[in-house]
Amino acid sequence: MNKTANQSIRCTVGQCTHHCEAQDYCSLNSITVGTHELNPTQDQCTDCQSFKLK
């Protein structure tokens, strides 16, 4: 399936079903970003909650 890259959402997670194979972009119109920490202080504390494993 050919996915259309959303030029506003850069992504390098190739294991996600929404990743555009030939480009480092997401194919979704929008994503949800969340955290797994009570008080996030670093970028590693945040998560793309729109991630879906291929």
Side-chain angles (χ1 to χ4, degrees), residues 16-53:
C16 182
T17 192
H18 306 298
H19 185 263
C20 292
E21 299 299 322
Q23 305 170 63
D24 282 339
Y25 290 99
C26 181
S27 63
L28 293 174
N29 291 327
S30 66
I31 62 168
T32 301
V33 177
T35 183
H36 56 271
E37 302 284 335
L38 292 176
N39 185 22
T41 57
Q42 300 176 18
D43 59 346
Q44 293 91 340
C45 299
T46 60
D47 304 294
C48 178
Q49 294 181 334
S50 301
F51 172 84
K52 186 175 178 185
L53 185 63

PDB file of all heavy atoms in Angstrom, residues 16-53:
ATOM      1  N   CYS A  16       6.636   1.041  12.715  1.00  0.00           N
ATOM      2  CA  CYS A  16       5.242   1.509  12.822  1.00  0.00           C
ATOM      3  C   CYS A  16       4.530   1.343  11.486  1.00  0.00           C
ATOM      4  O   CYS A  16       5.090   1.620  10.420  1.00  0.00           O
ATOM      5  CB  CYS A  16       5.203   2.968  13.260  1.00  0.00           C
ATOM      6  SG  CYS A  16       3.517   3.605  13.462  1.00  0.00           S
ATOM      7  N   THR A  17       3.297   0.911  11.533  1.00  0.00           N
ATOM      8  CA  THR A  17       2.504   0.721  10.313  1.00  0.00           C
ATOM      9  C   THR A  17       2.237   2.032   9.582  1.00  0.00           C
ATOM     10  O   THR A  17       1.991   2.033   8.380  1.00  0.00           O
ATOM     11  CB  THR A  17       1.181  -0.001  10.645  1.00  0.00           C
ATOM     12  OG1 THR A  17       0.575  -0.419   9.427  1.00  0.00           O
ATOM     13  CG2 THR A  17       0.226   0.876  11.421  1.00  0.00           C
ATOM     14  N   HIS A  18       2.319   3.169  10.267  1.00  0.00           N
ATOM     15  CA  HIS A  18       2.038   4.472   9.657  1.00  0.00           C
ATOM     16  C   HIS A  18       3.280   5.112   9.029  1.00  0.00           C
ATOM     17  O   HIS A  18       3.174   6.148   8.373  1.00  0.00           O
ATOM     18  CB  HIS A  18       1.454   5.437  10.697  1.00  0.00           C
ATOM     19  CG  HIS A  18       0.248   4.895  11.397  1.00  0.00           C
ATOM     20  ND1 HIS A  18      -0.919   4.576  10.746  1.00  0.00           N
ATOM     21  CD2 HIS A  18       0.047   4.586  12.700  1.00  0.00           C
ATOM     22  CE1 HIS A  18      -1.800   4.105  11.618  1.00  0.00           C
ATOM     23  NE2 HIS A  18      -1.229   4.103  12.805  1.00  0.00           N
ATOM     24  N   HIS A  19       4.458   4.493   9.205  1.00  0.00           N
ATOM     25  CA  HIS A  19       5.705   5.048   8.666  1.00  0.00           C
ATOM     26  C   HIS A  19       5.719   4.920   7.148  1.00  0.00           C
ATOM     27  O   HIS A  19       5.315   3.896   6.596  1.00  0.00           O
ATOM     28  CB  HIS A  19       6.900   4.294   9.267  1.00  0.00           C
ATOM     29  CG  HIS A  19       8.217   4.860   8.876  1.00  0.00           C
ATOM     30  ND1 HIS A  19       8.961   4.346   7.844  1.00  0.00           N
ATOM     31  CD2 HIS A  19       8.921   5.902   9.371  1.00  0.00           C
ATOM     32  CE1 HIS A  19      10.070   5.048   7.727  1.00  0.00           C
ATOM     33  NE2 HIS A  19      10.078   5.995   8.646  1.00  0.00           N
ATOM     34  N   CYS A  20       6.162   5.972   6.470  1.00  0.00           N
ATOM     35  CA  CYS A  20       6.297   5.938   5.009  1.00  0.00           C
ATOM     36  C   CYS A  20       7.641   5.313   4.680  1.00  0.00           C
ATOM     37  O   CYS A  20       8.687   5.880   4.979  1.00  0.00           O
ATOM     38  CB  CYS A  20       6.192   7.346   4.434  1.00  0.00           C
ATOM     39  SG  CYS A  20       4.542   8.032   4.626  1.00  0.00           S
ATOM     40  N   GLU A  21       7.607   4.161   4.086  1.00  0.00           N
ATOM     41  CA  GLU A  21       8.779   3.319   3.878  1.00  0.00           C
ATOM     42  C   GLU A  21       9.998   4.034   3.302  1.00  0.00           C
ATOM     43  O   GLU A  21      11.089   3.919   3.826  1.00  0.00           O
ATOM     44  CB  GLU A  21       8.422   2.133   2.977  1.00  0.00           C
ATOM     45  CG  GLU A  21       7.350   1.236   3.541  1.00  0.00           C
ATOM     46  CD  GLU A  21       7.736   0.598   4.870  1.00  0.00           C
ATOM     47  OE1 GLU A  21       8.905   0.221   5.042  1.00  0.00           O
ATOM     48  OE2 GLU A  21       6.858   0.485   5.736  1.00  0.00           O
ATOM     49  N   ALA A  22       9.849   4.759   2.232  1.00  0.00           N
ATOM     50  CA  ALA A  22      10.990   5.354   1.544  1.00  0.00           C
ATOM     51  C   ALA A  22      11.380   6.715   2.112  1.00  0.00           C
ATOM     52  O   ALA A  22      12.374   7.295   1.695  1.00  0.00           O
ATOM     53  CB  ALA A  22      10.679   5.482   0.056  1.00  0.00           C
ATOM     54  N   GLN A  23      10.586   7.228   3.039  1.00  0.00           N
ATOM     55  CA  GLN A  23      10.828   8.561   3.591  1.00  0.00           C
ATOM     56  C   GLN A  23      10.675   8.513   5.104  1.00  0.00           C
ATOM     57  O   GLN A  23       9.970   7.658   5.621  1.00  0.00           O
ATOM     58  CB  GLN A  23       9.815   9.554   3.025  1.00  0.00           C
ATOM     59  CG  GLN A  23       9.756   9.612   1.520  1.00  0.00           C
ATOM     60  CD  GLN A  23       8.579  10.438   1.068  1.00  0.00           C
ATOM     61  OE1 GLN A  23       8.507  11.621   1.352  1.00  0.00           O
ATOM     62  NE2 GLN A  23       7.649   9.813   0.390  1.00  0.00           N
ATOM     63  N   ASP A  24      11.291   9.429   5.803  1.00  0.00           N
ATOM     64  CA  ASP A  24      11.148   9.488   7.258  1.00  0.00           C
ATOM     65  C   ASP A  24      10.006  10.414   7.654  1.00  0.00           C
ATOM     66  O   ASP A  24      10.200  11.470   8.277  1.00  0.00           O
ATOM     67  CB  ASP A  24      12.470   9.926   7.909  1.00  0.00           C
ATOM     68  CG  ASP A  24      13.467   8.787   7.977  1.00  0.00           C
ATOM     69  OD1 ASP A  24      13.057   7.616   7.902  1.00  0.00           O
ATOM     70  OD2 ASP A  24      14.662   9.073   8.112  1.00  0.00           O
ATOM     71  N   TYR A  25       8.801  10.003   7.260  1.00  0.00           N
ATOM     72  CA  TYR A  25       7.589  10.739   7.590  1.00  0.00           C
ATOM     73  C   TYR A  25       6.495   9.773   8.004  1.00  0.00           C
ATOM     74  O   TYR A  25       6.527   8.585   7.682  1.00  0.00           O
ATOM     75  CB  TYR A  25       7.089  11.563   6.389  1.00  0.00           C
ATOM     76  CG  TYR A  25       7.961  12.732   6.052  1.00  0.00           C
ATOM     77  CD1 TYR A  25       8.884  12.664   5.031  1.00  0.00           C
ATOM     78  CD2 TYR A  25       7.862  13.920   6.776  1.00  0.00           C
ATOM     79  CE1 TYR A  25       9.704  13.733   4.724  1.00  0.00           C
ATOM     80  CE2 TYR A  25       8.676  14.995   6.481  1.00  0.00           C
ATOM     81  CZ  TYR A  25       9.589  14.904   5.452  1.00  0.00           C
ATOM     82  OH  TYR A  25      10.406  15.961   5.161  1.00  0.00           O
ATOM     83  N   CYS A  26       5.507  10.315   8.704  1.00  0.00           N
ATOM     84  CA  CYS A  26       4.323   9.556   9.105  1.00  0.00           C
ATOM     85  C   CYS A  26       3.239   9.775   8.054  1.00  0.00           C
ATOM     86  O   CYS A  26       3.179  10.823   7.419  1.00  0.00           O
ATOM     87  CB  CYS A  26       3.843  10.068  10.469  1.00  0.00           C
ATOM     88  SG  CYS A  26       2.387   9.212  11.111  1.00  0.00           S
ATOM     89  N   SER A  27       2.368   8.795   7.888  1.00  0.00           N
ATOM     90  CA  SER A  27       1.288   8.921   6.906  1.00  0.00           C
ATOM     91  C   SER A  27      -0.025   9.393   7.534  1.00  0.00           C
ATOM     92  O   SER A  27      -0.996   9.627   6.823  1.00  0.00           O
ATOM     93  CB  SER A  27       1.064   7.582   6.204  1.00  0.00           C
ATOM     94  OG  SER A  27       0.653   6.594   7.135  1.00  0.00           O
ATOM     95  N   LEU A  28      -0.053   9.545   8.858  1.00  0.00           N
ATOM     96  CA  LEU A  28      -1.282  10.004   9.514  1.00  0.00           C
ATOM     97  C   LEU A  28      -1.477  11.507   9.320  1.00  0.00           C
ATOM     98  O   LEU A  28      -0.522  12.253   9.112  1.00  0.00           O
ATOM     99  CB  LEU A  28      -1.226   9.697  11.014  1.00  0.00           C
ATOM    100  CG  LEU A  28      -1.250   8.224  11.395  1.00  0.00           C
ATOM    101  CD1 LEU A  28      -1.038   8.077  12.906  1.00  0.00           C
ATOM    102  CD2 LEU A  28      -2.548   7.574  10.970  1.00  0.00           C
ATOM    103  N   ASN A  29      -2.730  11.958   9.421  1.00  0.00           N
ATOM    104  CA  ASN A  29      -3.022  13.389   9.367  1.00  0.00           C
ATOM    105  C   ASN A  29      -2.601  14.098  10.641  1.00  0.00           C
ATOM    106  O   ASN A  29      -2.241  15.266  10.632  1.00  0.00           O
ATOM    107  CB  ASN A  29      -4.515  13.633   9.120  1.00  0.00           C
ATOM    108  CG  ASN A  29      -4.919  13.230   7.727  1.00  0.00           C
ATOM    109  OD1 ASN A  29      -4.146  13.352   6.786  1.00  0.00           O
ATOM    110  ND2 ASN A  29      -6.123  12.728   7.586  1.00  0.00           N
ATOM    111  N   SER A  30      -2.681  13.383  11.759  1.00  0.00           N
ATOM    112  CA  SER A  30      -2.268  13.915  13.045  1.00  0.00           C
ATOM    113  C   SER A  30      -1.872  12.753  13.939  1.00  0.00           C
ATOM    114  O   SER A  30      -2.251  11.612  13.677  1.00  0.00           O
ATOM    115  CB  SER A  30      -3.387  14.729  13.704  1.00  0.00           C
ATOM    116  OG  SER A  30      -4.473  13.881  14.037  1.00  0.00           O
ATOM    117  N   ILE A  31      -1.091  13.033  14.973  1.00  0.00           N
ATOM    118  CA  ILE A  31      -0.675  12.006  15.928  1.00  0.00           C
ATOM    119  C   ILE A  31      -0.991  12.480  17.338  1.00  0.00           C
ATOM    120  O   ILE A  31      -1.232  13.666  17.565  1.00  0.00           O
ATOM    121  CB  ILE A  31       0.828  11.673  15.816  1.00  0.00           C
ATOM    122  CG1 ILE A  31       1.684  12.896  16.128  1.00  0.00           C
ATOM    123  CG2 ILE A  31       1.155  11.082  14.459  1.00  0.00           C
ATOM    124  CD1 ILE A  31       3.164  12.599  16.317  1.00  0.00           C
ATOM    125  N   THR A  32      -0.974  11.541  18.275  1.00  0.00           N
ATOM    126  CA  THR A  32      -1.126  11.861  19.685  1.00  0.00           C
ATOM    127  C   THR A  32       0.199  11.589  20.370  1.00  0.00           C
ATOM    128  O   THR A  32       0.760  10.505  20.234  1.00  0.00           O
ATOM    129  CB  THR A  32      -2.231  10.999  20.328  1.00  0.00           C
ATOM    130  OG1 THR A  32      -3.456  11.250  19.636  1.00  0.00           O
ATOM    131  CG2 THR A  32      -2.390  11.312  21.801  1.00  0.00           C
ATOM    132  N   VAL A  33       0.717  12.584  21.075  1.00  0.00           N
ATOM    133  CA  VAL A  33       1.948  12.441  21.831  1.00  0.00           C
ATOM    134  C   VAL A  33       1.592  12.448  23.302  1.00  0.00           C
ATOM    135  O   VAL A  33       0.816  13.290  23.759  1.00  0.00           O
ATOM    136  CB  VAL A  33       2.944  13.581  21.518  1.00  0.00           C
ATOM    137  CG1 VAL A  33       4.188  13.462  22.376  1.00  0.00           C
ATOM    138  CG2 VAL A  33       3.302  13.572  20.040  1.00  0.00           C
ATOM    139  N   GLY A  34       2.138  11.484  24.025  1.00  0.00           N
ATOM    140  CA  GLY A  34       1.858  11.385  25.455  1.00  0.00           C
ATOM    141  C   GLY A  34       3.132  11.086  26.214  1.00  0.00           C
ATOM    142  O   GLY A  34       4.236  11.187  25.679  1.00  0.00           O
ATOM    143  N   THR A  35       2.979  10.688  27.473  1.00  0.00           N
ATOM    144  CA  THR A  35       4.124  10.380  28.313  1.00  0.00           C
ATOM    145  C   THR A  35       3.824   9.172  29.184  1.00  0.00           C
ATOM    146  O   THR A  35       2.666   8.864  29.456  1.00  0.00           O
ATOM    147  CB  THR A  35       4.527  11.585  29.178  1.00  0.00           C
ATOM    148  OG1 THR A  35       5.695  11.241  29.920  1.00  0.00           O
ATOM    149  CG2 THR A  35       3.431  11.981  30.145  1.00  0.00           C
ATOM    150  N   HIS A  36       4.879   8.511  29.601  1.00  0.00           N
ATOM    151  CA  HIS A  36       4.749   7.388  30.532  1.00  0.00           C
ATOM    152  C   HIS A  36       5.313   7.776  31.899  1.00  0.00           C
ATOM    153  O   HIS A  36       5.500   6.935  32.755  1.00  0.00           O
ATOM    154  CB  HIS A  36       5.459   6.145  29.966  1.00  0.00           C
ATOM    155  CG  HIS A  36       6.897   6.400  29.633  1.00  0.00           C
ATOM    156  ND1 HIS A  36       7.280   6.854  28.397  1.00  0.00           N
ATOM    157  CD2 HIS A  36       8.018   6.285  30.366  1.00  0.00           C
ATOM    158  CE1 HIS A  36       8.598   6.990  28.386  1.00  0.00           C
ATOM    159  NE2 HIS A  36       9.066   6.658  29.570  1.00  0.00           N
ATOM    160  N   GLU A  37       5.577   9.061  32.096  1.00  0.00           N
ATOM    161  CA  GLU A  37       6.140   9.582  33.341  1.00  0.00           C
ATOM    162  C   GLU A  37       5.140  10.526  34.009  1.00  0.00           C
ATOM    163  O   GLU A  37       4.352  11.181  33.343  1.00  0.00           O
ATOM    164  CB  GLU A  37       7.429  10.362  33.058  1.00  0.00           C
ATOM    165  CG  GLU A  37       8.502   9.573  32.356  1.00  0.00           C
ATOM    166  CD  GLU A  37       9.220   8.603  33.275  1.00  0.00           C
ATOM    167  OE1 GLU A  37       9.254   8.831  34.492  1.00  0.00           O
ATOM    168  OE2 GLU A  37       9.750   7.605  32.751  1.00  0.00           O
ATOM    169  N   LEU A  38       5.212  10.616  35.325  1.00  0.00           N
ATOM    170  CA  LEU A  38       4.367  11.573  36.038  1.00  0.00           C
ATOM    171  C   LEU A  38       4.825  13.004  35.812  1.00  0.00           C
ATOM    172  O   LEU A  38       4.017  13.933  35.753  1.00  0.00           O
ATOM    173  CB  LEU A  38       4.367  11.268  37.541  1.00  0.00           C
ATOM    174  CG  LEU A  38       3.677   9.969  37.955  1.00  0.00           C
ATOM    175  CD1 LEU A  38       3.830   9.742  39.461  1.00  0.00           C
ATOM    176  CD2 LEU A  38       2.208  10.014  37.573  1.00  0.00           C
ATOM    177  N   ASN A  39       6.153  13.190  35.693  1.00  0.00           N
ATOM    178  CA  ASN A  39       6.725  14.517  35.500  1.00  0.00           C
ATOM    179  C   ASN A  39       7.818  14.435  34.432  1.00  0.00           C
ATOM    180  O   ASN A  39       8.998  14.379  34.764  1.00  0.00           O
ATOM    181  CB  ASN A  39       7.295  15.045  36.828  1.00  0.00           C
ATOM    182  CG  ASN A  39       7.792  16.467  36.720  1.00  0.00           C
ATOM    183  OD1 ASN A  39       7.376  17.210  35.840  1.00  0.00           O
ATOM    184  ND2 ASN A  39       8.706  16.838  37.592  1.00  0.00           N
ATOM    185  N   PRO A  40       7.445  14.426  33.151  1.00  0.00           N
ATOM    186  CA  PRO A  40       8.452  14.261  32.104  1.00  0.00           C
ATOM    187  C   PRO A  40       9.436  15.429  32.075  1.00  0.00           C
ATOM    188  O   PRO A  40       9.032  16.584  32.153  1.00  0.00           O
ATOM    189  CB  PRO A  40       7.632  14.201  30.817  1.00  0.00           C
ATOM    190  CG  PRO A  40       6.332  14.833  31.152  1.00  0.00           C
ATOM    191  CD  PRO A  40       6.109  14.612  32.607  1.00  0.00           C
ATOM    192  N   THR A  41      10.726  15.092  31.993  1.00  0.00           N
ATOM    193  CA  THR A  41      11.766  16.119  31.970  1.00  0.00           C
ATOM    194  C   THR A  41      12.717  15.961  30.786  1.00  0.00           C
ATOM    195  O   THR A  41      13.568  16.807  30.579  1.00  0.00           O
ATOM    196  CB  THR A  41      12.595  16.075  33.269  1.00  0.00           C
ATOM    197  OG1 THR A  41      13.145  14.765  33.409  1.00  0.00           O
ATOM    198  CG2 THR A  41      11.738  16.403  34.485  1.00  0.00           C
ATOM    199  N   GLN A  42      12.587  14.881  30.016  1.00  0.00           N
ATOM    200  CA  GLN A  42      13.461  14.627  28.875  1.00  0.00           C
ATOM    201  C   GLN A  42      12.618  14.098  27.718  1.00  0.00           C
ATOM    202  O   GLN A  42      11.537  13.559  27.925  1.00  0.00           O
ATOM    203  CB  GLN A  42      14.520  13.589  29.230  1.00  0.00           C
ATOM    204  CG  GLN A  42      15.418  13.990  30.364  1.00  0.00           C
ATOM    205  CD  GLN A  42      16.382  12.868  30.722  1.00  0.00           C
ATOM    206  OE1 GLN A  42      16.603  11.948  29.942  1.00  0.00           O
ATOM    207  NE2 GLN A  42      16.960  12.944  31.903  1.00  0.00           N
ATOM    208  N   ASP A  43      13.152  14.230  26.510  1.00  0.00           N
ATOM    209  CA  ASP A  43      12.410  13.743  25.348  1.00  0.00           C
ATOM    210  C   ASP A  43      12.173  12.237  25.411  1.00  0.00           C
ATOM    211  O   ASP A  43      11.181  11.735  24.884  1.00  0.00           O
ATOM    212  CB  ASP A  43      13.084  14.142  24.038  1.00  0.00           C
ATOM    213  CG  ASP A  43      14.507  13.625  23.889  1.00  0.00           C
ATOM    214  OD1 ASP A  43      15.097  13.168  24.884  1.00  0.00           O
ATOM    215  OD2 ASP A  43      15.029  13.699  22.768  1.00  0.00           O
ATOM    216  N   GLN A  44      13.036  11.496  26.096  1.00  0.00           N
ATOM    217  CA  GLN A  44      12.862  10.049  26.225  1.00  0.00           C
ATOM    218  C   GLN A  44      11.627   9.693  27.061  1.00  0.00           C
ATOM    219  O   GLN A  44      11.180   8.553  27.059  1.00  0.00           O
ATOM    220  CB  GLN A  44      14.096   9.403  26.877  1.00  0.00           C
ATOM    221  CG  GLN A  44      15.333   9.473  26.035  1.00  0.00           C
ATOM    222  CD  GLN A  44      16.163  10.721  26.325  1.00  0.00           C
ATOM    223  OE1 GLN A  44      15.684  11.703  26.862  1.00  0.00           O
ATOM    224  NE2 GLN A  44      17.420  10.674  25.939  1.00  0.00           N
ATOM    225  N   CYS A  45      11.073  10.658  27.759  1.00  0.00           N
ATOM    226  CA  CYS A  45       9.890  10.434  28.593  1.00  0.00           C
ATOM    227  C   CYS A  45       8.594  10.528  27.790  1.00  0.00           C
ATOM    228  O   CYS A  45       7.522  10.246  28.312  1.00  0.00           O
ATOM    229  CB  CYS A  45       9.830  11.459  29.727  1.00  0.00           C
ATOM    230  SG  CYS A  45      11.230  11.417  30.850  1.00  0.00           S
ATOM    231  N   THR A  46       8.680  10.921  26.529  1.00  0.00           N
ATOM    232  CA  THR A  46       7.483  11.093  25.711  1.00  0.00           C
ATOM    233  C   THR A  46       7.335   9.943  24.721  1.00  0.00           C
ATOM    234  O   THR A  46       8.298   9.287  24.358  1.00  0.00           O
ATOM    235  CB  THR A  46       7.515  12.428  24.954  1.00  0.00           C
ATOM    236  OG1 THR A  46       8.641  12.456  24.103  1.00  0.00           O
ATOM    237  CG2 THR A  46       7.569  13.608  25.928  1.00  0.00           C
ATOM    238  N   ASP A  47       6.107   9.710  24.292  1.00  0.00           N
ATOM    239  CA  ASP A  47       5.786   8.592  23.407  1.00  0.00           C
ATOM    240  C   ASP A  47       4.802   9.036  22.325  1.00  0.00           C
ATOM    241  O   ASP A  47       3.913   9.839  22.587  1.00  0.00           O
ATOM    242  CB  ASP A  47       5.102   7.458  24.185  1.00  0.00           C
ATOM    243  CG  ASP A  47       5.909   6.987  25.352  1.00  0.00           C
ATOM    244  OD1 ASP A  47       6.985   6.430  25.127  1.00  0.00           O
ATOM    245  OD2 ASP A  47       5.448   7.169  26.500  1.00  0.00           O
ATOM    246  N   CYS A  48       4.948   8.449  21.139  1.00  0.00           N
ATOM    247  CA  CYS A  48       3.933   8.618  20.114  1.00  0.00           C
ATOM    248  C   CYS A  48       2.849   7.586  20.411  1.00  0.00           C
ATOM    249  O   CYS A  48       3.047   6.382  20.230  1.00  0.00           O
ATOM    250  CB  CYS A  48       4.504   8.395  18.721  1.00  0.00           C
ATOM    251  SG  CYS A  48       3.246   8.531  17.424  1.00  0.00           S
ATOM    252  N   GLN A  49       1.716   8.054  20.866  1.00  0.00           N
ATOM    253  CA  GLN A  49       0.639   7.137  21.222  1.00  0.00           C
ATOM    254  C   GLN A  49      -0.181   6.715  20.013  1.00  0.00           C
ATOM    255  O   GLN A  49      -1.108   5.917  20.145  1.00  0.00           O
ATOM    256  CB  GLN A  49      -0.229   7.761  22.321  1.00  0.00           C
ATOM    257  CG  GLN A  49       0.562   7.923  23.607  1.00  0.00           C
ATOM    258  CD  GLN A  49      -0.234   8.522  24.742  1.00  0.00           C
ATOM    259  OE1 GLN A  49      -1.202   9.245  24.529  1.00  0.00           O
ATOM    260  NE2 GLN A  49       0.172   8.227  25.947  1.00  0.00           N
ATOM    261  N   SER A  50       0.193   7.185  18.844  1.00  0.00           N
ATOM    262  CA  SER A  50      -0.428   6.742  17.596  1.00  0.00           C
ATOM    263  C   SER A  50       0.323   5.557  16.992  1.00  0.00           C
ATOM    264  O   SER A  50      -0.101   5.026  15.968  1.00  0.00           O
ATOM    265  CB  SER A  50      -0.462   7.896  16.589  1.00  0.00           C
ATOM    266  OG  SER A  50      -1.186   8.986  17.117  1.00  0.00           O
ATOM    267  N   PHE A  51       1.427   5.155  17.607  1.00  0.00           N
ATOM    268  CA  PHE A  51       2.237   4.035  17.126  1.00  0.00           C
ATOM    269  C   PHE A  51       1.394   2.767  17.038  1.00  0.00           C
ATOM    270  O   PHE A  51       0.620   2.444  17.929  1.00  0.00           O
ATOM    271  CB  PHE A  51       3.411   3.789  18.079  1.00  0.00           C
ATOM    272  CG  PHE A  51       4.188   2.538  17.751  1.00  0.00           C
ATOM    273  CD1 PHE A  51       5.178   2.555  16.785  1.00  0.00           C
ATOM    274  CD2 PHE A  51       3.916   1.344  18.393  1.00  0.00           C
ATOM    275  CE1 PHE A  51       5.901   1.395  16.474  1.00  0.00           C
ATOM    276  CE2 PHE A  51       4.631   0.190  18.101  1.00  0.00           C
ATOM    277  CZ  PHE A  51       5.621   0.221  17.141  1.00  0.00           C
ATOM    278  N   LYS A  52       1.544   2.066  15.927  1.00  0.00           N
ATOM    279  CA  LYS A  52       0.889   0.782  15.727  1.00  0.00           C
ATOM    280  C   LYS A  52       1.899  -0.141  15.058  1.00  0.00           C
ATOM    281  O   LYS A  52       2.385   0.157  13.965  1.00  0.00           O
ATOM    282  CB  LYS A  52      -0.356   0.944  14.860  1.00  0.00           C
ATOM    283  CG  LYS A  52      -1.158  -0.333  14.726  1.00  0.00           C
ATOM    284  CD  LYS A  52      -2.445  -0.086  13.967  1.00  0.00           C
ATOM    285  CE  LYS A  52      -3.199  -1.374  13.811  1.00  0.00           C
ATOM    286  NZ  LYS A  52      -4.393  -1.202  12.992  1.00  0.00           N
ATOM    287  N   LEU A  53       2.228  -1.238  15.715  1.00  0.00           N
ATOM    288  CA  LEU A  53       3.213  -2.175  15.205  1.00  0.00           C
ATOM    289  C   LEU A  53       2.764  -2.769  13.872  1.00  0.00           C
ATOM    290  O   LEU A  53       1.592  -3.121  13.706  1.00  0.00           O
ATOM    291  CB  LEU A  53       3.448  -3.290  16.223  1.00  0.00           C
ATOM    292  CG  LEU A  53       4.533  -4.313  15.909  1.00  0.00           C
ATOM    293  CD1 LEU A  53       5.908  -3.648  15.825  1.00  0.00           C
ATOM    294  CD2 LEU A  53       4.535  -5.405  16.963  1.00  0.00           C
TER     295      LEU A  53
END
